PDB file of all heavy atoms in Angstrom:
ATOM      1  N   THR A   1       0.970  -0.972  -4.531  1.00  0.00           N
ATOM      2  CA  THR A   1       1.414  -1.513  -3.246  1.00  0.00           C
ATOM      3  C   THR A   1       2.797  -2.129  -3.386  1.00  0.00           C
ATOM      4  O   THR A   1       3.669  -1.905  -2.554  1.00  0.00           O
ATOM      5  CB  THR A   1       0.410  -2.561  -2.729  1.00  0.00           C
ATOM      6  OG1 THR A   1      -0.872  -1.954  -2.635  1.00  0.00           O
ATOM      7  CG2 THR A   1       0.822  -3.093  -1.370  1.00  0.00           C
ATOM      8  N   GLY A   2       3.018  -2.885  -4.455  1.00  0.00           N
ATOM      9  CA  GLY A   2       4.326  -3.493  -4.690  1.00  0.00           C
ATOM     10  C   GLY A   2       5.409  -2.454  -4.882  1.00  0.00           C
ATOM     11  O   GLY A   2       6.516  -2.590  -4.378  1.00  0.00           O
ATOM     12  N   THR A   3       5.089  -1.396  -5.601  1.00  0.00           N
ATOM     13  CA  THR A   3       6.053  -0.321  -5.824  1.00  0.00           C
ATOM     14  C   THR A   3       6.396   0.369  -4.511  1.00  0.00           C
ATOM     15  O   THR A   3       7.569   0.625  -4.227  1.00  0.00           O
ATOM     16  CB  THR A   3       5.483   0.706  -6.833  1.00  0.00           C
ATOM     17  OG1 THR A   3       5.158   0.019  -8.031  1.00  0.00           O
ATOM     18  CG2 THR A   3       6.476   1.798  -7.114  1.00  0.00           C
ATOM     19  N   ILE A   4       5.387   0.643  -3.711  1.00  0.00           N
ATOM     20  CA  ILE A   4       5.629   1.293  -2.420  1.00  0.00           C
ATOM     21  C   ILE A   4       6.449   0.385  -1.518  1.00  0.00           C
ATOM     22  O   ILE A   4       7.418   0.816  -0.900  1.00  0.00           O
ATOM     23  CB  ILE A   4       4.303   1.701  -1.749  1.00  0.00           C
ATOM     24  CG1 ILE A   4       3.654   2.836  -2.552  1.00  0.00           C
ATOM     25  CG2 ILE A   4       4.519   2.132  -0.302  1.00  0.00           C
ATOM     26  CD1 ILE A   4       2.238   3.171  -2.137  1.00  0.00           C
ATOM     27  N   LEU A   5       6.096  -0.897  -1.449  1.00  0.00           N
ATOM     28  CA  LEU A   5       6.860  -1.845  -0.635  1.00  0.00           C
ATOM     29  C   LEU A   5       8.300  -1.934  -1.113  1.00  0.00           C
ATOM     30  O   LEU A   5       9.228  -1.934  -0.315  1.00  0.00           O
ATOM     31  CB  LEU A   5       6.213  -3.227  -0.665  1.00  0.00           C
ATOM     32  CG  LEU A   5       5.120  -3.478   0.345  1.00  0.00           C
ATOM     33  CD1 LEU A   5       4.496  -4.844   0.115  1.00  0.00           C
ATOM     34  CD2 LEU A   5       5.643  -3.376   1.755  1.00  0.00           C
ATOM     35  N   GLY A   6       8.489  -2.011  -2.395  1.00  0.00           N
ATOM     36  CA  GLY A   6       9.843  -2.075  -2.958  1.00  0.00           C
ATOM     37  C   GLY A   6      10.643  -0.835  -2.609  1.00  0.00           C
ATOM     38  O   GLY A   6      11.808  -0.916  -2.239  1.00  0.00           O
ATOM     39  N   PHE A   7      10.014   0.310  -2.687  1.00  0.00           N
ATOM     40  CA  PHE A   7      10.681   1.560  -2.334  1.00  0.00           C
ATOM     41  C   PHE A   7      11.062   1.571  -0.864  1.00  0.00           C
ATOM     42  O   PHE A   7      12.162   1.952  -0.496  1.00  0.00           O
ATOM     43  CB  PHE A   7       9.781   2.761  -2.659  1.00  0.00           C
ATOM     44  CG  PHE A   7      10.386   4.069  -2.244  1.00  0.00           C
ATOM     45  CD1 PHE A   7      11.419   4.624  -2.980  1.00  0.00           C
ATOM     46  CD2 PHE A   7       9.942   4.730  -1.114  1.00  0.00           C
ATOM     47  CE1 PHE A   7      11.994   5.823  -2.601  1.00  0.00           C
ATOM     48  CE2 PHE A   7      10.508   5.917  -0.723  1.00  0.00           C
ATOM     49  CZ  PHE A   7      11.530   6.470  -1.470  1.00  0.00           C
ATOM     50  N   LEU A   8      10.132   1.133  -0.005  1.00  0.00           N
ATOM     51  CA  LEU A   8      10.419   1.114   1.430  1.00  0.00           C
ATOM     52  C   LEU A   8      11.558   0.164   1.756  1.00  0.00           C
ATOM     53  O   LEU A   8      12.439   0.491   2.541  1.00  0.00           O
ATOM     54  CB  LEU A   8       9.168   0.736   2.228  1.00  0.00           C
ATOM     55  CG  LEU A   8       8.058   1.778   2.263  1.00  0.00           C
ATOM     56  CD1 LEU A   8       6.827   1.207   2.957  1.00  0.00           C
ATOM     57  CD2 LEU A   8       8.519   3.043   2.945  1.00  0.00           C
ATOM     58  N   VAL A   9      11.570  -1.007   1.162  1.00  0.00           N
ATOM     59  CA  VAL A   9      12.639  -1.972   1.411  1.00  0.00           C
ATOM     60  C   VAL A   9      13.961  -1.430   0.887  1.00  0.00           C
ATOM     61  O   VAL A   9      14.973  -1.447   1.570  1.00  0.00           O
ATOM     62  CB  VAL A   9      12.315  -3.341   0.777  1.00  0.00           C
ATOM     63  CG1 VAL A   9      13.515  -4.271   0.818  1.00  0.00           C
ATOM     64  CG2 VAL A   9      11.127  -3.974   1.482  1.00  0.00           C
ATOM     65  N   PHE A  10      13.957  -0.919  -0.335  1.00  0.00           N
ATOM     66  CA  PHE A  10      15.186  -0.361  -0.900  1.00  0.00           C
ATOM     67  C   PHE A  10      15.638   0.848  -0.109  1.00  0.00           C
ATOM     68  O   PHE A  10      16.801   0.988   0.226  1.00  0.00           O
ATOM     69  CB  PHE A  10      14.990   0.022  -2.372  1.00  0.00           C
ATOM     70  CG  PHE A  10      16.208   0.690  -2.944  1.00  0.00           C
ATOM     71  CD1 PHE A  10      17.330  -0.064  -3.275  1.00  0.00           C
ATOM     72  CD2 PHE A  10      16.252   2.068  -3.114  1.00  0.00           C
ATOM     73  CE1 PHE A  10      18.468   0.550  -3.784  1.00  0.00           C
ATOM     74  CE2 PHE A  10      17.386   2.684  -3.621  1.00  0.00           C
ATOM     75  CZ  PHE A  10      18.495   1.917  -3.959  1.00  0.00           C
ATOM     76  N   GLY A  11      14.702   1.720   0.224  1.00  0.00           N
ATOM     77  CA  GLY A  11      15.034   2.928   0.981  1.00  0.00           C
ATOM     78  C   GLY A  11      15.609   2.601   2.338  1.00  0.00           C
ATOM     79  O   GLY A  11      16.568   3.212   2.786  1.00  0.00           O
ATOM     80  N   ALA A  12      15.061   1.600   3.003  1.00  0.00           N
ATOM     81  CA  ALA A  12      15.558   1.218   4.316  1.00  0.00           C
ATOM     82  C   ALA A  12      16.961   0.625   4.219  1.00  0.00           C
ATOM     83  O   ALA A  12      17.791   0.845   5.081  1.00  0.00           O
ATOM     84  CB  ALA A  12      14.607   0.214   4.970  1.00  0.00           C
ATOM     85  N   SER A  13      17.230  -0.117   3.152  1.00  0.00           N
ATOM     86  CA  SER A  13      18.549  -0.719   3.038  1.00  0.00           C
ATOM     87  C   SER A  13      19.605   0.288   2.597  1.00  0.00           C
ATOM     88  O   SER A  13      20.788   0.047   2.747  1.00  0.00           O
ATOM     89  CB  SER A  13      18.505  -1.900   2.072  1.00  0.00           C
ATOM     90  OG  SER A  13      18.213  -1.446   0.772  1.00  0.00           O
ATOM     91  N   ALA A  14      19.185   1.415   2.060  1.00  0.00           N
ATOM     92  CA  ALA A  14      20.138   2.433   1.633  1.00  0.00           C
ATOM     93  C   ALA A  14      20.817   3.088   2.833  1.00  0.00           C
ATOM     94  O   ALA A  14      21.930   3.567   2.734  1.00  0.00           O
ATOM     95  CB  ALA A  14      19.445   3.495   0.778  1.00  0.00           C
ATOM     96  N   PHE A  15      20.147   3.104   3.978  1.00  0.00           N
ATOM     97  CA  PHE A  15      20.712   3.662   5.192  1.00  0.00           C
ATOM     98  C   PHE A  15      20.972   2.536   6.176  1.00  0.00           C
ATOM     99  O   PHE A  15      20.049   1.860   6.600  1.00  0.00           O
ATOM    100  CB  PHE A  15      19.744   4.676   5.832  1.00  0.00           C
ATOM    101  CG  PHE A  15      19.495   5.869   4.965  1.00  0.00           C
ATOM    102  CD1 PHE A  15      18.349   5.955   4.204  1.00  0.00           C
ATOM    103  CD2 PHE A  15      20.419   6.886   4.890  1.00  0.00           C
ATOM    104  CE1 PHE A  15      18.115   7.044   3.382  1.00  0.00           C
ATOM    105  CE2 PHE A  15      20.201   7.985   4.082  1.00  0.00           C
ATOM    106  CZ  PHE A  15      19.050   8.064   3.328  1.00  0.00           C
ATOM    107  N   ALA A  16      22.229   2.348   6.499  1.00  0.00           N
ATOM    108  CA  ALA A  16      22.568   1.281   7.442  1.00  0.00           C
ATOM    109  C   ALA A  16      22.148   1.695   8.850  1.00  0.00           C
ATOM    110  O   ALA A  16      22.372   2.821   9.270  1.00  0.00           O
ATOM    111  CB  ALA A  16      24.059   1.014   7.396  1.00  0.00           C
ATOM    112  N   ALA A  17      21.528   0.795   9.543  1.00  0.00           N
ATOM    113  CA  ALA A  17      21.129   1.057  10.920  1.00  0.00           C
ATOM    114  C   ALA A  17      22.328   0.824  11.838  1.00  0.00           C
ATOM    115  O   ALA A  17      23.204   0.029  11.540  1.00  0.00           O
ATOM    116  CB  ALA A  17      19.977   0.142  11.313  1.00  0.00           C
ATOM    117  N   VAL A  18      22.330   1.522  12.941  1.00  0.00           N
ATOM    118  CA  VAL A  18      23.387   1.354  13.930  1.00  0.00           C
ATOM    119  C   VAL A  18      23.129   0.044  14.675  1.00  0.00           C
ATOM    120  O   VAL A  18      22.039  -0.190  15.168  1.00  0.00           O
ATOM    121  CB  VAL A  18      23.405   2.536  14.926  1.00  0.00           C
ATOM    122  CG1 VAL A  18      24.474   2.331  15.986  1.00  0.00           C
ATOM    123  CG2 VAL A  18      23.606   3.852  14.192  1.00  0.00           C
ATOM    124  N   GLU A  19      24.130  -0.800  14.735  1.00  0.00           N
ATOM    125  CA  GLU A  19      24.051  -2.047  15.495  1.00  0.00           C
ATOM    126  C   GLU A  19      24.637  -1.784  16.870  1.00  0.00           C
ATOM    127  O   GLU A  19      25.844  -1.864  17.059  1.00  0.00           O
ATOM    128  CB  GLU A  19      24.859  -3.151  14.813  1.00  0.00           C
ATOM    129  CG  GLU A  19      24.245  -3.718  13.574  1.00  0.00           C
ATOM    130  CD  GLU A  19      25.104  -4.854  13.027  1.00  0.00           C
ATOM    131  OE1 GLU A  19      25.556  -5.706  13.805  1.00  0.00           O
ATOM    132  OE2 GLU A  19      25.319  -4.855  11.814  1.00  0.00           O
ATOM    133  N   TRP A  20      23.796  -1.443  17.824  1.00  0.00           N
ATOM    134  CA  TRP A  20      24.271  -1.128  19.170  1.00  0.00           C
ATOM    135  C   TRP A  20      24.780  -2.385  19.852  1.00  0.00           C
ATOM    136  O   TRP A  20      24.065  -3.385  19.943  1.00  0.00           O
ATOM    137  CB  TRP A  20      23.154  -0.496  19.994  1.00  0.00           C
ATOM    138  CG  TRP A  20      22.893   0.912  19.574  1.00  0.00           C
ATOM    139  CD1 TRP A  20      21.951   1.332  18.683  1.00  0.00           C
ATOM    140  CD2 TRP A  20      23.593   2.074  20.004  1.00  0.00           C
ATOM    141  NE1 TRP A  20      22.022   2.695  18.544  1.00  0.00           N
ATOM    142  CE2 TRP A  20      23.025   3.180  19.340  1.00  0.00           C
ATOM    143  CE3 TRP A  20      24.645   2.291  20.897  1.00  0.00           C
ATOM    144  CZ2 TRP A  20      23.465   4.485  19.534  1.00  0.00           C
ATOM    145  CZ3 TRP A  20      25.090   3.594  21.085  1.00  0.00           C
ATOM    146  CH2 TRP A  20      24.509   4.672  20.408  1.00  0.00           C
ATOM    147  N   GLN A  21      25.986  -2.324  20.330  1.00  0.00           N
ATOM    148  CA  GLN A  21      26.588  -3.414  21.078  1.00  0.00           C
ATOM    149  C   GLN A  21      26.256  -3.238  22.562  1.00  0.00           C
ATOM    150  O   GLN A  21      25.969  -2.131  23.017  1.00  0.00           O
ATOM    151  CB  GLN A  21      28.104  -3.425  20.889  1.00  0.00           C
ATOM    152  CG  GLN A  21      28.552  -3.486  19.441  1.00  0.00           C
ATOM    153  CD  GLN A  21      28.157  -4.780  18.765  1.00  0.00           C
ATOM    154  OE1 GLN A  21      28.426  -5.862  19.267  1.00  0.00           O
ATOM    155  NE2 GLN A  21      27.494  -4.661  17.622  1.00  0.00           N
ATOM    156  N   THR A  22      26.337  -4.313  23.308  1.00  0.00           N
ATOM    157  CA  THR A  22      26.086  -4.244  24.751  1.00  0.00           C
ATOM    158  C   THR A  22      27.292  -4.725  25.555  1.00  0.00           C
ATOM    159  O   THR A  22      27.234  -4.780  26.773  1.00  0.00           O
ATOM    160  CB  THR A  22      24.848  -5.088  25.131  1.00  0.00           C
ATOM    161  OG1 THR A  22      25.049  -6.428  24.678  1.00  0.00           O
ATOM    162  CG2 THR A  22      23.583  -4.507  24.519  1.00  0.00           C
ATOM    163  N   SER A  23      28.372  -5.063  24.864  1.00  0.00           N
ATOM    164  CA  SER A  23      29.598  -5.512  25.510  1.00  0.00           C
ATOM    165  C   SER A  23      30.770  -4.692  24.985  1.00  0.00           C
ATOM    166  O   SER A  23      30.981  -4.607  23.764  1.00  0.00           O
ATOM    167  CB  SER A  23      29.829  -6.996  25.222  1.00  0.00           C
ATOM    168  OG  SER A  23      31.174  -7.352  25.448  1.00  0.00           O
ATOM    169  N   TYR A  24      31.530  -4.111  25.902  1.00  0.00           N
ATOM    170  CA  TYR A  24      32.691  -3.309  25.520  1.00  0.00           C
ATOM    171  C   TYR A  24      33.714  -4.170  24.778  1.00  0.00           C
ATOM    172  O   TYR A  24      34.230  -3.772  23.736  1.00  0.00           O
ATOM    173  CB  TYR A  24      33.305  -2.671  26.767  1.00  0.00           C
ATOM    174  CG  TYR A  24      34.516  -1.822  26.485  1.00  0.00           C
ATOM    175  CD1 TYR A  24      34.403  -0.614  25.811  1.00  0.00           C
ATOM    176  CD2 TYR A  24      35.779  -2.227  26.900  1.00  0.00           C
ATOM    177  CE1 TYR A  24      35.513   0.179  25.547  1.00  0.00           C
ATOM    178  CE2 TYR A  24      36.894  -1.442  26.649  1.00  0.00           C
ATOM    179  CZ  TYR A  24      36.761  -0.244  25.975  1.00  0.00           C
ATOM    180  OH  TYR A  24      37.860   0.539  25.717  1.00  0.00           O
ATOM    181  N   ASP A  25      34.005  -5.356  25.304  1.00  0.00           N
ATOM    182  CA  ASP A  25      34.991  -6.233  24.672  1.00  0.00           C
ATOM    183  C   ASP A  25      34.563  -6.650  23.269  1.00  0.00           C
ATOM    184  O   ASP A  25      35.382  -6.679  22.353  1.00  0.00           O
ATOM    185  CB  ASP A  25      35.248  -7.470  25.542  1.00  0.00           C
ATOM    186  CG  ASP A  25      35.962  -7.117  26.842  1.00  0.00           C
ATOM    187  OD1 ASP A  25      36.675  -6.092  26.884  1.00  0.00           O
ATOM    188  OD2 ASP A  25      35.793  -7.870  27.825  1.00  0.00           O
ATOM    189  N   MET A  26      33.278  -6.951  23.106  1.00  0.00           N
ATOM    190  CA  MET A  26      32.787  -7.324  21.781  1.00  0.00           C
ATOM    191  C   MET A  26      32.838  -6.136  20.819  1.00  0.00           C
ATOM    192  O   MET A  26      33.139  -6.289  19.635  1.00  0.00           O
ATOM    193  CB  MET A  26      31.378  -7.900  21.871  1.00  0.00           C
ATOM    194  CG  MET A  26      31.378  -9.282  22.507  1.00  0.00           C
ATOM    195  SD  MET A  26      29.735  -9.963  22.827  1.00  0.00           S
ATOM    196  CE  MET A  26      29.072 -10.131  21.197  1.00  0.00           C
ATOM    197  N   ALA A  27      32.561  -4.937  21.332  1.00  0.00           N
ATOM    198  CA  ALA A  27      32.640  -3.735  20.506  1.00  0.00           C
ATOM    199  C   ALA A  27      34.083  -3.494  20.040  1.00  0.00           C
ATOM    200  O   ALA A  27      34.315  -3.166  18.873  1.00  0.00           O
ATOM    201  CB  ALA A  27      32.115  -2.531  21.273  1.00  0.00           C
ATOM    202  N   LEU A  28      35.054  -3.677  20.952  1.00  0.00           N
ATOM    203  CA  LEU A  28      36.465  -3.515  20.573  1.00  0.00           C
ATOM    204  C   LEU A  28      36.865  -4.539  19.510  1.00  0.00           C
ATOM    205  O   LEU A  28      37.540  -4.186  18.533  1.00  0.00           O
ATOM    206  CB  LEU A  28      37.374  -3.676  21.797  1.00  0.00           C
ATOM    207  CG  LEU A  28      37.571  -2.457  22.679  1.00  0.00           C
ATOM    208  CD1 LEU A  28      38.463  -2.812  23.863  1.00  0.00           C
ATOM    209  CD2 LEU A  28      38.145  -1.290  21.909  1.00  0.00           C
ATOM    210  N   ALA A  29      36.435  -5.778  19.688  1.00  0.00           N
ATOM    211  CA  ALA A  29      36.762  -6.824  18.716  1.00  0.00           C
ATOM    212  C   ALA A  29      36.154  -6.507  17.347  1.00  0.00           C
ATOM    213  O   ALA A  29      36.820  -6.654  16.315  1.00  0.00           O
ATOM    214  CB  ALA A  29      36.272  -8.179  19.223  1.00  0.00           C
ATOM    215  N   LYS A  30      34.911  -6.060  17.344  1.00  0.00           N
ATOM    216  CA  LYS A  30      34.242  -5.695  16.087  1.00  0.00           C
ATOM    217  C   LYS A  30      34.948  -4.502  15.431  1.00  0.00           C
ATOM    218  O   LYS A  30      35.143  -4.469  14.222  1.00  0.00           O
ATOM    219  CB  LYS A  30      32.768  -5.385  16.342  1.00  0.00           C
ATOM    220  CG  LYS A  30      31.969  -5.083  15.073  1.00  0.00           C
ATOM    221  CD  LYS A  30      30.485  -5.071  15.373  1.00  0.00           C
ATOM    222  CE  LYS A  30      29.638  -4.651  14.211  1.00  0.00           C
ATOM    223  NZ  LYS A  30      29.959  -5.224  12.922  1.00  0.00           N
ATOM    224  N   ALA A  31      35.357  -3.528  16.247  1.00  0.00           N
ATOM    225  CA  ALA A  31      36.055  -2.352  15.720  1.00  0.00           C
ATOM    226  C   ALA A  31      37.389  -2.739  15.083  1.00  0.00           C
ATOM    227  O   ALA A  31      37.762  -2.209  14.035  1.00  0.00           O
ATOM    228  CB  ALA A  31      36.268  -1.332  16.833  1.00  0.00           C
ATOM    229  N   LYS A  32      38.096  -3.661  15.709  1.00  0.00           N
ATOM    230  CA  LYS A  32      39.369  -4.128  15.131  1.00  0.00           C
ATOM    231  C   LYS A  32      39.125  -4.797  13.791  1.00  0.00           C
ATOM    232  O   LYS A  32      39.832  -4.545  12.818  1.00  0.00           O
ATOM    233  CB  LYS A  32      40.060  -5.106  16.084  1.00  0.00           C
ATOM    234  CG  LYS A  32      40.745  -4.426  17.239  1.00  0.00           C
ATOM    235  CD  LYS A  32      41.429  -5.417  18.158  1.00  0.00           C
ATOM    236  CE  LYS A  32      41.997  -4.658  19.346  1.00  0.00           C
ATOM    237  NZ  LYS A  32      42.620  -5.540  20.327  1.00  0.00           N
ATOM    238  N   LYS A  33      38.112  -5.654  13.760  1.00  0.00           N
ATOM    239  CA  LYS A  33      37.783  -6.376  12.527  1.00  0.00           C
ATOM    240  C   LYS A  33      37.358  -5.412  11.415  1.00  0.00           C
ATOM    241  O   LYS A  33      37.791  -5.540  10.274  1.00  0.00           O
ATOM    242  CB  LYS A  33      36.673  -7.386  12.811  1.00  0.00           C
ATOM    243  CG  LYS A  33      36.327  -8.279  11.630  1.00  0.00           C
ATOM    244  CD  LYS A  33      35.237  -9.262  11.992  1.00  0.00           C
ATOM    245  CE  LYS A  33      33.980  -8.902  11.542  1.00  0.00           C
ATOM    246  NZ  LYS A  33      32.918  -8.798  10.952  1.00  0.00           N
ATOM    247  N   ASP A  34      36.526  -4.425  11.770  1.00  0.00           N
ATOM    248  CA  ASP A  34      35.971  -3.495  10.785  1.00  0.00           C
ATOM    249  C   ASP A  34      36.827  -2.246  10.566  1.00  0.00           C
ATOM    250  O   ASP A  34      36.479  -1.397   9.750  1.00  0.00           O
ATOM    251  CB  ASP A  34      34.564  -3.064  11.206  1.00  0.00           C
ATOM    252  CG  ASP A  34      33.580  -4.218  11.240  1.00  0.00           C
ATOM    253  OD1 ASP A  34      33.888  -5.307  10.707  1.00  0.00           O
ATOM    254  OD2 ASP A  34      32.486  -4.042  11.815  1.00  0.00           O
ATOM    255  N   LYS A  35      37.915  -2.115  11.353  1.00  0.00           N
ATOM    256  CA  LYS A  35      38.807  -0.938  11.270  1.00  0.00           C
ATOM    257  C   LYS A  35      38.037   0.359  11.515  1.00  0.00           C
ATOM    258  O   LYS A  35      38.054   1.284  10.703  1.00  0.00           O
ATOM    259  CB  LYS A  35      39.543  -0.923   9.945  1.00  0.00           C
ATOM    260  CG  LYS A  35      40.479  -2.101   9.772  1.00  0.00           C
ATOM    261  CD  LYS A  35      41.244  -2.022   8.480  1.00  0.00           C
ATOM    262  CE  LYS A  35      42.271  -3.108   8.415  1.00  0.00           C
ATOM    263  NZ  LYS A  35      41.956  -4.275   7.723  1.00  0.00           N
ATOM    264  N   LYS A  36      37.335   0.391  12.662  1.00  0.00           N
ATOM    265  CA  LYS A  36      36.537   1.556  13.048  1.00  0.00           C
ATOM    266  C   LYS A  36      36.898   1.984  14.468  1.00  0.00           C
ATOM    267  O   LYS A  36      37.555   1.249  15.202  1.00  0.00           O
ATOM    268  CB  LYS A  36      35.044   1.223  13.015  1.00  0.00           C
ATOM    269  CG  LYS A  36      34.500   0.918  11.640  1.00  0.00           C
ATOM    270  CD  LYS A  36      33.010   0.633  11.710  1.00  0.00           C
ATOM    271  CE  LYS A  36      32.402   0.411  10.343  1.00  0.00           C
ATOM    272  NZ  LYS A  36      30.938   0.233  10.438  1.00  0.00           N
ATOM    273  N   LEU A  37      36.446   3.142  14.848  1.00  0.00           N
ATOM    274  CA  LEU A  37      36.536   3.597  16.235  1.00  0.00           C
ATOM    275  C   LEU A  37      35.341   3.053  17.006  1.00  0.00           C
ATOM    276  O   LEU A  37      34.323   2.697  16.418  1.00  0.00           O
ATOM    277  CB  LEU A  37      36.504   5.127  16.298  1.00  0.00           C
ATOM    278  CG  LEU A  37      37.711   5.858  15.741  1.00  0.00           C
ATOM    279  CD1 LEU A  37      37.426   7.361  15.692  1.00  0.00           C
ATOM    280  CD2 LEU A  37      38.948   5.586  16.574  1.00  0.00           C
ATOM    281  N   VAL A  38      35.465   3.038  18.322  1.00  0.00           N
ATOM    282  CA  VAL A  38      34.354   2.641  19.175  1.00  0.00           C
ATOM    283  C   VAL A  38      33.782   3.890  19.829  1.00  0.00           C
ATOM    284  O   VAL A  38      34.530   4.721  20.346  1.00  0.00           O
ATOM    285  CB  VAL A  38      34.807   1.642  20.269  1.00  0.00           C
ATOM    286  CG1 VAL A  38      33.644   1.297  21.195  1.00  0.00           C
ATOM    287  CG2 VAL A  38      35.383   0.390  19.650  1.00  0.00           C
TER     288      VAL A  38
END
């Protein structure tokens, strides 16, 4: 059980989830900070 849990936690952290924004202005600010497109 510990091995499976560890694998699931590690496996989940290996793929970053999309952090959906709900504000255009906040998305632009985050994109500037992170040097990404929106």
